[in-house]
Amino acid sequence: MCQLMGMNCNVPTDICFSFTGFQARGGATDVHRDGWGIAFFEGRGVRVFLDPQPSADSLVAELVRHYPIRSLNVIAHIRKATQGEIGLENTHPFMRELWGRYWIFAHNGNLADYAPDFDGSFLPVGQTDSERAFCHLLQTLRARFPAGMPARKRLQAAIEDFSAQVRALGQFNFLLSNGDSLFAHRSTDLYYIVRQAPFTVAHLKDQDVSIDFSEVTTQDDRVALIATQPLTDNETWTPLPSDRIAMFVDGALRES
Amino acid sequence: MCQLMGMNCNVPTDICFSFTGFQARGGATDVHRDGWGIAFFEGRGVRVFLDPQPSADSLVAELVRHYPIRSLNVIAHIRKATQGEIGLENTHPFMRELWGRYWIFAHNGNLADYAPDFDGSFLPVGQTDSERAFCHLLQTLRARFPAGMPARKRLQAAIEDFSAQVRALGQFNFLLSNGDSLFAHRSTDLYYIVRQAPFTVAHLKDQDVSIDFSEVTTQDDRVALIATQPLTDNETWTPLPSDRIAMFVDGALRES
């Protein structure tokens, strides 16, 4: 299996602190050695850093840890291969364009015998069940809203309908973003926390590193973090409702 | 205007030496300060590093310069903005998926009043004429070959037909790759060199750096480099034929 991490904020925020703990799980404090990746939305643009090497030893991960890219929506993934070889084409997160927006997707789980009927609008490049699910989701959304991107609530409902079908095939924890909202679906493990004023000190679970968020934030900042397992050991992380699409906008959770 | 650099090889090769000279043109030895990017194919996968900062000062460029990613097809671009704001969504190279393969595109030039009729299969995210041309090209290819990717020669001919129409609107120097072949179109400036045995010493034009390729290659290696302006000052670079699609496969030029 894999691990997921996501961030959604109301002001562009860097993820250096959380990534420090997450990165350690890719081969140091945990077993997810089969590649990793992270995507940062900046406006409508997106930067995706991928590495088929373990994140704990990765030069690219070192860059990401020290380079404060400020973003409203971030999705990261560390991989323990289940379906598909270790290789760049099977490394999450995946990216496609739909309705003139980039979409980013990362998955934790395993979908058995998943062979959707593709019409050619979005085709997998690699061999993972995860990329198949992403292509199938975008094909489904495009067919349902041919005129362009609908309002958030309708989008959330459509992703909910899609997920209800696919989760019958196996574990389907995923994070999805179009740079505006971040959608999260929990089958088994997915926790979240919303940090807002009054900000306090957070301490990582995977490394002895702390940060006092009151020193690096303003009163109005709001940051939601989502992760397969809590990243800090002195804050309360809440499991996301299972088998639902949680939608995060401006650092707040909006359930379907 | 912008500058382009491409590499196509018969064995996975790193581009650290050439990138050292190219990077300097992004704000140090030349004026292309409005962002830069580079894409490396590794098998069917691709890694794209983008930065809206000048490449001469970029932390990400430093990483790319020192991290030997071995690739058969590389496309890089440094930008001097003509159409579209400075921002990540307008930073080349652009990526899309077609026929289950990633495609990478970068453009140098300016297309006046270019408003293609999009059917929605590929839509621009940013505001550049370049991304419009890329989306239009992929839409055209997909419509012409609905059953999937054709043989290289047919692909080359189709890209040639498309380019013949678009170059009527302005300068259309571009590089395009699907990880198998690298296609180059010269309107004004685009040079190439093929390095093969016997390998010799090359010296950069933009920095006082040399490399003896005979020490880092084998007898069978063949590497084609393509650039807006020659990158070295002691080798003979040849202008590509203008208004044609040059196709590079396994480090060799195959004209249409």
Side-chain angles (χ1 to χ4, degrees):
Chain A
M1 291 299 167
C2 311
Q3 291 213 14
L4 298 169
M5 178 174 71
M7 183 176 77
N8 170 271
C9 324
N10 66 349
V11 290
T13 304
D14 80 67
I15 200 167
C16 295
F17 172 72
S18 299
F19 186 73
T20 299
F22 190 67
Q23 175 197 11
R25 296 181 183 177
T29 60
D30 209 333
V31 298
H32 309 90
R33 294 189 58 83
D34 302 334
W36 70 281
I38 188 165
F40 300 86
F41 278 96
E42 293 167 79
R44 296 169 71 91
V46 65
R47 284 203 253 196
V48 186
F49 295 87
L50 299 174
D51 204 338
Q53 305 299 315
S55 62
D57 318 328
S58 162
L59 279 177
V60 186
E62 278 303 294
L63 173 85
V64 169
R65 192 146 75 90
H66 295 292
Y67 180 35
I69 297 178
R70 294 180 179 278
S71 174
L72 294 180
N73 287 284
V74 176
I75 290 180
H77 183 271
I78 46 178
R79 181 163 187 242
K80 174 91 177 64
T82 49
Q83 295 185 34
E85 303 284 305
I86 299 169
L88 190 58
E89 73 273 25
N90 292 327
T91 304
H92 308 220
F94 301 102
M95 183 179 100
R96 292 291 187 280
E97 169 266 314
L98 169 63
W99 300 317
R101 302 289 299 233
Y102 292 121
W103 292 74
I104 293 287
F105 177 86
H107 168 224
N108 157 29
N110 194 34
L111 304 171
D113 303 319
Y114 182 43
D117 203 1
F118 290 120
D119 66 13
S121 52
F122 300 94
L123 291 173
V125 173
Q127 298 84 43
T128 63
D129 52 340
S130 310
E131 194 188 10
R132 283 198 293 279
F134 181 39
C135 290
H136 190 198
L137 167 62
L138 295 184
Q139 172 181 308
T140 304
L141 292 176
R142 191 173 164 219
R144 183 152 161 180
F145 305 108
M149 192 155 75
R152 286 177 188 142
K153 276 280 172 196
R154 295 184 66 201
L155 198 50
Q156 183 180 17
I159 300 167
E160 174 77 55
D161 291 348
F162 174 83
S163 306
Q165 309 220 335
V166 173
R167 66 177 166 249
L169 303 175
Q171 279 183 34
F172 196 42
N173 302 292
F174 72 76
L175 298 177
L176 170 76
S177 181
N178 58 4
D180 172 68
S181 322
L182 192 149
F183 302 94
H185 183 265
R186 175 189 154 215
S187 283
T188 50
D189 298 302
L190 211 48
Y191 293 81
Y192 80 102
I193 187 170
V194 174
R195 295 195 182 115
Q196 53 195 336
F199 288 98
T200 54
V201 173
H203 180 265
L204 288 181
K205 209 165 156 178
D206 296 77
Q207 299 210 21
D208 188 14
V209 176
S210 294
I211 189 169
D212 184 348
F213 283 113
S214 69
E215 292 176 358
V216 292
T217 50
T218 70
Q219 279 295 84
D220 300 328
D221 291 6
R222 192 171 53 210
V223 176
L225 269 166
I226 304 110
T228 298
Q229 294 296 331
L231 290 163
T232 56
D233 54 16
N234 66 335
E235 298 177 298
T236 305
W237 291 69
T238 308
L240 281 171
S242 65
D243 294 347
R244 300 296 292 276
I245 292 295
M247 178 168 70
F248 290 90
V249 181
D250 294 334
L253 171 62
R254 307 194 187 177
E255 286 182 50
S256 60
Chain B
M1 291 301 166
C2 312
Q3 291 213 14
L4 298 168
M5 178 173 72
M7 184 176 76
N8 168 271
C9 325
N10 66 347
V11 290
T13 304
D14 79 67
I15 200 167
C16 296
F17 172 72
S18 298
F19 186 72
T20 299
F22 190 66
Q23 175 197 12
R25 295 181 183 176
T29 61
D30 209 334
V31 297
H32 309 90
R33 294 190 58 84
D34 302 334
W36 68 281
I38 187 165
F40 300 85
F41 279 96
E42 293 167 80
R44 296 169 71 93
V46 65
R47 285 203 253 196
V48 186
F49 295 88
L50 298 174
D51 204 337
Q53 306 298 314
S55 61
D57 319 327
S58 161
L59 279 177
V60 186
E62 279 303 295
L63 173 85
V64 169
R65 191 147 75 92
H66 295 292
Y67 180 36
I69 298 178
R70 294 178 179 278
S71 174
L72 293 180
N73 286 283
V74 176
I75 290 179
H77 182 271
I78 46 179
R79 182 164 187 239
K80 175 85 180 66
T82 50
Q83 295 185 34
E85 302 285 303
I86 298 170
L88 191 58
E89 72 273 26
N90 293 327
T91 303
H92 309 220
F94 300 102
M95 183 179 99
R96 293 291 188 280
E97 169 265 312
L98 168 63
W99 301 317
R101 301 289 298 234
Y102 292 121
W103 292 74
I104 293 287
F105 177 86
H107 168 224
N108 155 31
N110 194 36
L111 303 170
D113 303 320
Y114 182 42
D117 202 1
F118 289 120
D119 65 12
S121 52
F122 301 93
L123 292 173
V125 173
Q127 299 84 43
T128 62
D129 51 340
S130 309
E131 194 188 9
R132 283 199 292 281
F134 181 37
C135 291
H136 190 199
L137 167 61
L138 295 184
Q139 172 181 308
T140 305
L141 291 177
R142 190 174 164 219
R144 183 154 162 178
F145 304 108
M149 191 156 73
R152 287 177 188 141
K153 274 282 172 195
R154 294 184 67 200
L155 197 51
Q156 182 180 18
I159 300 166
E160 174 77 55
D161 290 350
F162 173 83
S163 306
Q165 309 220 335
V166 174
R167 67 176 166 250
L169 303 175
Q171 280 184 33
F172 196 42
N173 302 291
F174 73 76
L175 298 177
L176 170 76
S177 182
N178 58 4
D180 172 68
S181 322
L182 192 150
F183 303 93
H185 183 265
R186 173 189 156 216
S187 284
T188 51
D189 298 301
L190 211 48
Y191 294 80
Y192 79 102
I193 188 170
V194 173
R195 295 195 182 116
Q196 54 195 335
F199 289 98
T200 55
V201 173
H203 179 266
L204 289 181
K205 210 166 155 177
D206 296 76
Q207 299 209 22
D208 188 15
V209 176
S210 294
I211 189 169
D212 184 348
F213 284 113
S214 68
E215 292 175 358
V216 292
T217 50
T218 70
Q219 280 297 338
D220 299 327
D221 291 7
R222 192 170 53 209
V223 176
L225 269 165
I226 304 111
T228 298
Q229 293 297 331
L231 290 163
T232 55
D233 54 17
N234 67 334
E235 298 177 299
T236 305
W237 291 68
T238 308
L240 280 171
S242 66
D243 294 348
R244 301 295 293 275
I245 292 294
M247 177 168 72
F248 291 89
V249 181
D250 295 334
L253 171 62
R254 307 193 186 178
E255 286 181 49
S256 58

